[in-house]
Structures are given as C-alpha cells and as structure tokens.
Amino acid sequence: MSTDDHADDLLELLGQERVRQILAATSRDPKSAKELAEACDVALSTIYRRVETMIESDLLVERTRIESDGSHHSVYEANVDHLDVDIDDGTIDVSVHVREDAAQRFSRIWSDIRES
C-alpha cells in the first residue's frame, strides 16, 4: 500500500474525534474558539491546537467577526465541501474539495469565460 505524506496527514487528522467535532460544528456557521470549546466540551488550549492544524491543512478558514459594539475576534469556518478517498492500484489518494465564496466563484467563472 502506498500513500503520499499529505494523504497520510489528512487521514490521521480526520481520525481524531475532536477534529471531526470541530468540522461538524463549523459546517453550520462560523464559531469562535470559546464556542467550539463549549460545543466539544474540551479545553480552549485543545481547540487552538486543533484549529491551527486544521487551518494548515485547509480544513478550516479563520475569519474576523465584528460585534455590534465594535469589538472583533476570530471565528472558524469549515472550508471543506467534500473529501474524496480513492483507493486504486495499490495507492490511497485523499482530495479535499474546498468551498468557494462568492468572490472566488465569480473570479473562477470570469477566468473561464476569458479563456474560452
């Protein structure tokens, strides 16, 4: 069996219960680290460690939430539309399909039109 390091890292990361909990929670709406700690019933330090790794792996994106009083803080949102795990000819390949926001989608469509 052969896998590349990226596929190994993703499979290992997704094997962690907390990572799956964070992905599920942030797939509904963006959550702060404090909200994630409460939803997952773990320490804030655990959330920050997992979130950092998940951002590096493109599973989460960090955004800024501005409150009505003008204060702001980071929130995290799932960046995954879906994952594919392909097993073929003795290899395992993992593909992460990230979400596109409206601006990214418009840029991609405009680029496709210009190239046509």
Side-chain angles (χ1 to χ4, degrees):
M1 177 178 76
S2 171
T3 59
D4 64 23
D5 289 341
H6 181 67
D8 285 343
D9 292 344
L10 276 174
L11 289 172
E12 184 176 330
L13 191 59
L14 292 167
Q16 299 175 24
E17 180 182 1
R18 297 296 179 234
V19 168
R20 294 189 309 271
Q21 287 178 320
I22 292 168
L23 272 179
T26 58
S27 69
R28 291 183 213 113
D29 56 351
K31 302 255 188 252
S32 68
K34 182 178 178 186
E35 292 167 329
L36 287 170
E38 290 170 4
C40 298
D41 195 29
V42 296
L44 200 52
S45 59
T46 300
I47 292 297
Y48 280 119
R49 279 193 306 275
R50 296 299 184 281
V51 160
E52 183 178 323
T53 304
M54 293 171 74
I55 289 171
E56 290 171 1
S57 298
D58 289 329
L59 297 177
L60 287 181
V61 290
E62 183 176 4
R63 306 220 188 272
T64 301
R65 179 187 290 166
I66 301 173
E67 302 295 341
S68 58
D69 66 0
S71 64
H72 62 281
H73 58 276
S74 292
V75 292
Y76 306 95
E77 184 176 13
N79 192 39
V80 178
D81 196 27
H82 66 277
L83 296 164
D84 291 328
V85 178
D86 296 311
I87 303 170
D88 184 41
D89 198 27
T91 64
I92 297 174
D93 183 51
V94 180
S95 302
V96 177
H97 300 271
V98 297
R99 294 180 177 175
E100 286 183 313
D101 63 21
Q104 291 169 320
R105 193 169 24 260
F106 177 78
S107 294
R108 182 182 47 79
I109 292 169
W110 183 251
S111 178
D112 290 348
I113 290 170
R114 289 182 39 193
E115 291 175 3
S116 298

